[in-house]
Amino acid sequence: MRMPRGGRLFLATCLGSLFVLVLYFQSITKPEAGLKTDSSPGKSRRSPLQTLYNGDQQLELSAAQRSLQGRRELLEQTCLSHMRKRQVLSPEDLKHLIVDDKHSLIYCYVPKVACTNWKRVLMVLTSDGRYTDPLSIPANEAHVAGNLHTLNEFSVPEINHRLRSYLKFIFVREPFERLVSAYRNKFTRSYNTAFHKRYGTKIIRRHRANPEAEALEKGNDVSFHEFVQYLVDPRTQREEPLNEHWERVHSLCHPCLIHYDVVGKYETLEPDAQAVLRLAGVEGTLQFPTSGKSTRTDGNMAARYFKHISPFYQKKLFNLYRMDFLLFNYSTPEYLRTR
């Protein structure tokens, strides 16, 4: 079957009771021309993406334009070089894509990459006035299922329509800084008893010699070395998918199959978030919340955690997250000892 020029195609098939979406990936051309508007006969209305990437916006945005366009082009090139051109996606694969129909937005949320604040922002945008300030929304409420719609809730034609016409964006982070942040949050905080029970007890049982009974029961003292051993253990992914907090970004958001218009980075969160809000047309009415954390996980902190991980396990872990490093143009950390 020939693909339409510059497009992507979902083929819906039913195999018994299994419903799948077959998506063909093709190198994507520049955004399509805007639609004609009734109020301006004979003139094309430029879409936000055309405004961003075709370069006739204000001069002070030129650096942001170049950066965002460069990331997108590099992602496409890396996908073509390293990923298969055909893949089967199930509706389950679309559960991380949050949809805002009012502003024609699709956001793939990645845990530990400011996703709580992005969910708060989207709750404000979709609430019809119920919320006005993102920071007034409790963090736990932002993660309640049902507060926001995800792409897997829609029919195949509705999915295709949104993927073709909505602004799609994602925010990513240096993979090992994100991983250390997830470990610190889920295994070193006393209040995360659900994670301790669900994952900590299993990690200790498998990767600690002669564990004490209390550790086996509570799972609340997992070391970073034990966590790394768990991640690279072949049994881990054979048994179930990785938890979303340490799952690879390319497995959560499928950036080689879903063409993201904006690839924001945690390292440049504020200007990138401002660019997205400007494209959505809400920059003047809504501000992305700034982080007040004083102990944010950065490269220096990640280096301290990796200091006691052997080169053998460092190499295995890097191989596990290699595609995230490649796709989003992150360099191999200098502190790694993989040779």
Side-chain angles (χ1 to χ4, degrees), residues 212-277:
E212 296 181 0
E214 183 178 3
L216 287 171
E217 179 187 355
K218 295 183 177 179
N220 61 353
D221 63 345
V222 172
S223 70
F224 185 65
H225 185 270
E226 290 168 337
F227 179 53
V228 170
Q229 286 181 299
Y230 162 77
L231 291 173
V232 302
D233 187 338
R235 293 174 293 181
T236 298
Q237 291 191 67
R238 281 204 304 264
E239 293 173 351
E240 60 183 344
L242 294 178
N243 180 274
E244 63 177 11
H245 291 85
W246 47 84
E247 177 62 280
R248 288 72 51 90
V249 175
H250 74 270
S251 295
L252 292 175
C253 297
H254 315 286
C256 291
L257 296 171
I258 297 170
H259 182 68
Y260 291 96
D261 304 297
V262 176
V263 178
K265 289 198 169 185
Y266 190 75
E267 295 79 10
T268 51
L269 177 61
E270 291 187 28
D272 292 352
Q274 181 182 6
V276 171
L277 295 178

Side-chain angles (χ1 to χ4, degrees), residues 137-260:
I137 302 172
N140 63 323
E141 187 174 343
H143 297 293
V144 172
N147 279 344
L148 293 164
H149 292 292
T150 52
L151 195 59
N152 62 311
E153 299 173 20
F154 297 90
S155 68
V156 175
E158 291 171 330
I159 289 171
N160 282 325
H161 165 71
R162 286 162 175 80
L163 287 175
R164 283 193 304 266
S165 58
Y166 282 20
L167 171 72
K168 300 172 290 296
F169 68 99
I170 181 177
F171 273 74
V172 300
R173 184 178 185 177
E174 201 279 341
F176 283 170
E177 291 177 24
R178 174 176 171 249
L179 185 67
V180 171
S181 178
Y183 166 77
R184 292 177 62 215
N185 179 253
K186 300 307 176 186
F187 294 107
T188 69
R189 304 288 191 266
S190 60
Y191 55 78
N192 269 322
T193 55
F195 271 82
H196 301 160
K197 284 282 190 179
R198 174 72 177 81
Y199 296 100
T201 54
K202 178 189 291 187
I203 292 171
I204 291 170
R205 187 168 63 251
R206 286 188 174 175
H207 301 290
R208 183 178 299 180
N210 304 315
E212 296 181 0
E214 183 178 3
L216 287 171
E217 179 187 355
K218 295 183 177 179
N220 61 353
D221 63 345
V222 172
S223 70
F224 185 65
H225 185 270
E226 290 168 337
F227 179 53
V228 170
Q229 286 181 299
Y230 162 77
L231 291 173
V232 302
D233 187 338
R235 293 174 293 181
T236 298
Q237 291 191 67
R238 281 204 304 264
E239 293 173 351
E240 60 183 344
L242 294 178
N243 180 274
E244 63 177 11
H245 291 85
W246 47 84
E247 177 62 280
R248 288 72 51 90
V249 175
H250 74 270
S251 295
L252 292 175
C253 297
H254 315 286
C256 291
L257 296 171
I258 297 170
H259 182 68
Y260 291 96

Side-chain angles (χ1 to χ4, degrees), residues 274-291:
Q274 181 182 6
V276 171
L277 295 178
R278 178 172 298 202
L279 290 172
V282 297
E283 183 189 30
T285 59
L286 181 65
Q287 186 172 3
F288 189 84
T290 56
S291 174

